[in-house]
Amino acid sequence: MKASMDWVAASGAAFSAGLGQSGFAHLKHYTVEFREWGEGPPLVLVPGLAGGFELLGPIARILARHFRVISYQLRGEDDCFALRQRFGLPDLVQDLAEFLDWHCLERPAIMGVSFGGALSLEFAARFPNRLNALIVQGAGVRFDRGLVQQVAGIVLARYPLPPDNPFVNQFFNLLFGGRQKQGPLFSFVTRQCWQTDQSVMAHRFHLVEQFDMKDRLNRIQSPALILSGDRDLLVSPTNLKALCAGIPHAQFASLPRCGHLAFVTQPKPVAEEVSGFLENVSEE
């Protein structure tokens, strides 16, 4: 048993960004845990629907070579009882604004992945002068109501699931963009995602179901980079096209052989796209 646990810890460490600098910021509605890595221009990473900032370890590790990477836990990540107080995407946007104020970050670059991408788009539309650049991976202009999304919503909302359920864990293959062999990476992703309470995942899924930026994209004034894996089954090409067309200063980059979890499965090409984009923004 001990040998098994040691293997789990070792496999997780292989994808971690390292200890970095940890801290807590006291916001209006919750105390948020955050972590920082590296030095340089600030880059705030907004995590996705599940897994917290630990799931961002692979991409944070690479980006920290050139940036001061900062990430934080969304409301509810460390305390599922936070759901007793109703909150929506606008409240999470306000949390992010308060978090930037706490760090005295005037106009940082912000990168959001998946659910965090939707949150970052909402933030950029509400506070167009609060960020220097916007990067989004795994999000579109609105929620795609396909079969995969419907099944995910029903399962999360109605069925209590054990974190070691083989059938449910196979669902992660859709997020990888294809069948992923059992191994350290698969174990890291599934284990980390199940660190997020299922009720919190269901709540966030309900919030993103209502997400639609179609009529507000023109409020986003910062340069924007839209990234998408060419095997991402959760965001349709039509959805991506509408997102890129609606943002005044947007550019698009496709990630070959990548799925929805490109930021963890293929962090190097994602980081290269992000670094090149931010270098151009800085020069301009």
Side-chain angles (χ1 to χ4, degrees):
M1 180 66 177
K2 183 180 185 300
S4 176
M5 292 302 293
D6 288 344
W7 181 87
V8 168
S11 64
F15 301 101
S16 169
L19 294 177
Q21 180 181 343
S22 299
F24 293 88
H26 301 289
L27 308 185
K28 182 176 180 180
H29 293 287
Y30 78 116
T31 297
V32 55
E33 181 182 3
F34 66 88
R35 196 162 296 166
E36 299 185 22
W37 306 270
E39 297 180 355
L43 171 58
V44 178
L45 298 185
V46 185
L49 186 140
F53 59 53
E54 291 89 352
L55 192 62
L56 299 173
I59 187 71
R61 172 188 290 183
I62 301 176
L63 290 172
R65 298 170 186 170
H66 306 288
F67 302 96
R68 175 192 172 196
V69 178
I70 306 168
S71 193
Y72 70 106
Q73 302 292 41
L74 301 178
R75 196 191 305 193
E77 186 66 37
D78 297 322
D79 178 18
C80 63
F81 294 107
L83 299 182
R84 291 177 175 177
Q85 181 180 1
R86 285 191 173 186
F87 61 87
L89 272 177
D91 300 296
L92 297 180
V93 167
Q94 187 60 42
D95 289 343
L96 176 54
E98 290 182 28
F99 181 69
L100 299 185
D101 289 341
W102 191 91
H103 273 280
C104 299
L105 296 172
E106 293 185 3
R107 297 182 70 239
I110 294 178
M111 176 179 178
V113 299
S114 188
F115 177 80
L119 176 53
S120 298
L121 286 165
E122 291 276 5
F123 179 88
R126 182 175 173 185
F127 300 105
N129 298 316
R130 291 294 309 274
L131 67 169
N132 179 48
L134 172 68
I135 304 107
V136 172
Q137 190 250 298
V141 69
R142 64 175 67 85
F143 177 75
D144 270 317
R145 299 186 180 278
L147 178 60
V148 172
Q149 292 85 347
Q150 292 180 38
V151 171
I154 292 171
V155 169
L156 284 174
R158 301 182 183 179
Y159 301 98
L161 301 169
D164 59 349
N165 185 297
F167 172 78
V168 174
N169 282 348
Q170 287 307 308
F171 183 80
F172 283 94
N173 284 319
L174 298 175
L175 304 182
F176 282 110
R179 186 169 183 81
Q180 179 73 26
K181 65 180 181 180
Q182 295 286 339
L185 178 59
F186 188 88
S187 297
F188 169 72
V189 171
T190 54
R191 185 179 67 255
Q192 197 56 61
C193 285
W194 284 114
Q195 295 297 311
T196 303
D197 189 87
Q198 187 179 336
S199 64
V200 174
M201 285 192 276
H203 177 70
R204 291 173 182 168
F205 195 91
H206 175 66
L207 296 183
V208 82
E209 280 184 305
Q210 306 169 52
F211 172 73
D212 191 335
M213 289 288 298
K214 179 182 177 181
D215 298 327
R216 291 172 291 134
L217 290 176
N218 59 356
R219 300 180 188 177
I220 300 175
Q221 298 302 309
S222 60
L225 173 64
I226 311 302
L227 297 170
S228 178
D230 62 0
R231 298 178 180 176
D232 191 336
L233 301 178
L234 299 188
V235 185
S236 68
T238 301
N239 201 337
L240 284 169
K241 184 177 180 179
L243 179 63
C244 296
I247 299 177
H249 309 288
Q251 62 186 69
F252 174 75
S254 178
L255 302 167
R257 300 178 300 280
C258 290
H260 192 70
L261 296 177
F263 61 92
V264 63
T265 61
Q266 301 285 344
K268 186 175 180 180
V270 175
E272 288 175 350
E273 292 286 354
V274 172
S275 297
F277 169 71
L278 291 179
E279 183 177 346
N280 290 335
V281 169
S282 178
E283 291 176 354
E284 293 174 2

